[in-house]
Amino acid sequence: MNLLNFVSEFPDESSCRNKFKEYRERVGVVCPVCGHKEHYWKEDKACYECKHCGKRQSLRANTVMHGSHLPFRYWFIAIHLLTSTKKSFSAVELQRQLGHKRYEPIWCMLHKLRSIMGKRDELYILSGVMELDEGFFSTEIEEEEKGTPLKRGRGSQKKSKVLVMAESHPIEGQTNKKGKIPQVGHLKMVVIHDLKSDTITSMVEKNRSKETIIDSDLSTSYIHLNDIVKEHRGQVILKKETGKFLPWVHIAISNAKRLLLDIHHDIKGEYLQNYLSEFCYKFNRRHFGESLFHRLMIASVTYKNQFRQNYG
Ligand SMILES: [Zn+2]
């Protein structure tokens, strides 16, 4: 959807509200008390009433807009921008474009959308051959961490650890100097607090199938991976050769870092996951084209916001 189509389809608050209601009913309204799926719509109260137990919920309740007071149109504009721009959109820029007085609610709205993108991608299981590596992203020190002595020269920056997993299958018949060219499937990036074997093994276990084959270096963090996948092909990989042996994790890490530098500056470690979730969500749907808006709308009515519910 280009900007002109967007403006003509959603010219005002009521067109956005009606569309949101349509999406909600298409996915199905579920009663938070009894789980019943049939509801009356009370137009005068603008809420659903459960046909079984009578519990009422607003149009926004139990969706990404749960607890939000921002206009529906703001949300639609944000969803449009997040799904139609190739890279991303900063909260400062969106606040300026909307002419909204306060920064925080806009920042919060974008994070809520990013967090449901992550929720949606949790459904993917990586199969076939999976490249595995860790990336280290510069983030700002969180308030509660300040006071801990940092290594000299690092200022208030620290390196957040990210486990990167990418499905990577060689394409039949296509080769170059490096051998067969692998085609990338789904990508996942997960912020982890340490590089212990237990941490990494359990994270991989959540995201792999038993038939997965893992390519990685010979880090001691990976010693138990053989127990949970079909095969773990660990090998010695020099830092400068990561791009050759683990091409897709290498590309993903450098593209994600560039995006964070270009658009979102000085991000705090606690929000890094959301930015990476947005990056992976768009990467995993890079061939979806215009249907991405529709997909994110579906996710928006499916998941209840968990990110600072009473804010924004
Ligand atoms: Zn009910």
Side-chain angles (χ1 to χ4, degrees):
M1 186 163 28
N2 65 33
L3 191 53
L4 289 177
N5 295 341
F6 178 82
V7 172
S8 69
E9 196 171 339
F10 303 111
D12 51 24
E13 181 68 0
S14 75
S15 55
C16 295
R17 179 180 169 276
N18 292 340
K19 193 69 177 178
F20 188 78
K21 185 167 174 285
E22 201 182 300
Y23 269 106
R24 224 190 142 180
E25 287 164 16
R26 189 193 302 191
V27 169
V29 181
V30 181
C31 174
V33 174
C34 72
H36 203 75
K37 287 177 181 157
E38 283 179 55
H39 290 77
Y40 301 107
W41 171 251
K42 301 271 186 189
E43 184 60 45
D44 55 331
K45 302 264 190 317
C47 69
Y48 293 104
E49 186 178 293
C50 174
K51 284 189 181 178
H52 183 70
C53 75
K55 168 78 182 173
R56 288 179 179 176
Q57 58 176 314
S58 73
L59 184 54
R60 296 170 184 248
N62 304 304
T63 71
V64 72
M65 297 190 198
H66 192 99
S68 165
H69 301 291
L70 292 177
F72 281 94
R73 203 164 183 229
Y74 276 26
W75 285 90
F76 273 58
I77 290 169
I79 291 172
H80 172 66
L81 288 173
L82 285 178
T83 55
S84 65
T85 50
K86 197 160 177 219
K87 290 185 169 176
S88 184
F89 218 81
S90 73
V92 177
E93 186 61 19
L94 184 56
Q95 180 203 4
R96 200 176 63 81
Q97 299 269 348
L98 291 171
H100 195 72
K101 240 188 233 162
R102 292 174 58 225
Y103 168 74
E104 285 80 1
I106 304 299
W107 173 86
C108 211
M109 171 172 67
L110 290 175
H111 271 299
K112 288 171 180 176
L113 288 167
R114 290 183 186 113
S115 89
I116 61 154
M117 290 178 179
K119 214 76 210 118
R120 200 63 170 175
D121 270 359
E122 281 176 15
L123 300 174
Y124 286 137
I125 292 297
L126 304 185
S127 58
V129 177
M130 179 212 281
E131 296 175 18
L132 175 73
D133 204 1
E134 291 124 22
F136 299 91
F137 286 72
S138 298
T139 49
E140 255 190 35
I141 289 291
E142 291 153 39
E143 282 303 319
E144 57 271 29
E145 284 181 87
K146 283 185 181 161
T148 328
L150 282 166
K151 282 184 189 155
R152 223 156 24 127
R154 283 199 177 175
S156 60
Q157 292 272 309
K158 68 163 185 176
K159 293 283 184 191
S160 293
K161 304 164 198 75
V162 176
L163 193 66
V164 185
M165 297 167 267
E167 284 176 327
S168 170
H169 312 286
I171 312 169
E172 273 315 304
Q174 288 194 37
T175 54
N176 65 4
K177 275 184 281 178
K178 292 175 184 171
K180 282 189 176 168
I181 304 169
Q183 187 177 37
V184 65
H186 285 122
L187 169 73
K188 295 206 183 210
M189 295 178 136
V190 187
V191 176
I192 47 176
H193 295 292
D194 59 63
L195 301 176
K196 288 178 188 153
S197 169
D198 283 356
T199 309
I200 289 180
T201 308
S202 75
M203 195 50 76
V204 171
E205 197 167 15
K206 276 186 203 155
N207 293 292
R208 62 78 176 113
S209 82
K210 282 185 179 155
E211 295 306 306
T212 303
I213 296 168
I214 296 182
D215 280 337
S216 75
D217 64 27
L218 278 176
S219 158
T220 51
S221 310
Y222 302 156
I223 50 171
H224 294 303
L225 291 181
N226 235 335
D227 305 338
I228 59 161
V229 290
K230 186 176 170 192
E231 189 185 355
H232 173 218
R233 304 188 294 210
Q235 58 182 325
V236 178
I237 299 175
L238 300 174
K239 189 135 186 73
K240 60 176 185 196
E241 290 191 324
T242 317
K244 184 174 168 190
F245 292 104
L246 303 170
W248 285 108
V249 290
H250 184 73
I251 290 169
I253 292 170
S254 66
N255 286 356
K257 281 185 178 171
R258 194 174 324 138
L259 180 80
L260 294 182
L261 275 179
D262 285 352
I263 297 172
H264 313 290
H265 319 280
D266 302 329
I267 61 170
K268 291 201 170 80
E270 59 188 304
Y271 307 122
L272 176 62
Q273 183 63 62
N274 279 345
Y275 292 106
L276 296 177
S277 295
E278 181 193 347
F279 177 81
C280 290
Y281 183 89
K282 287 168 122 174
F283 183 89
N284 290 336
R285 291 161 186 76
R286 60 200 174 279
H287 305 307
F288 283 26
E290 297 194 347
S291 72
L292 206 51
F293 177 86
H294 166 71
R295 298 294 183 119
L296 190 53
M297 283 302 303
I298 297 276
S300 295
V301 296
T302 304
Y303 297 106
K304 181 179 176 180
N305 164 53
Q306 303 291 339
F307 184 87
R308 298 198 187 171
Q309 285 193 5
N310 302 316
Y311 205 72

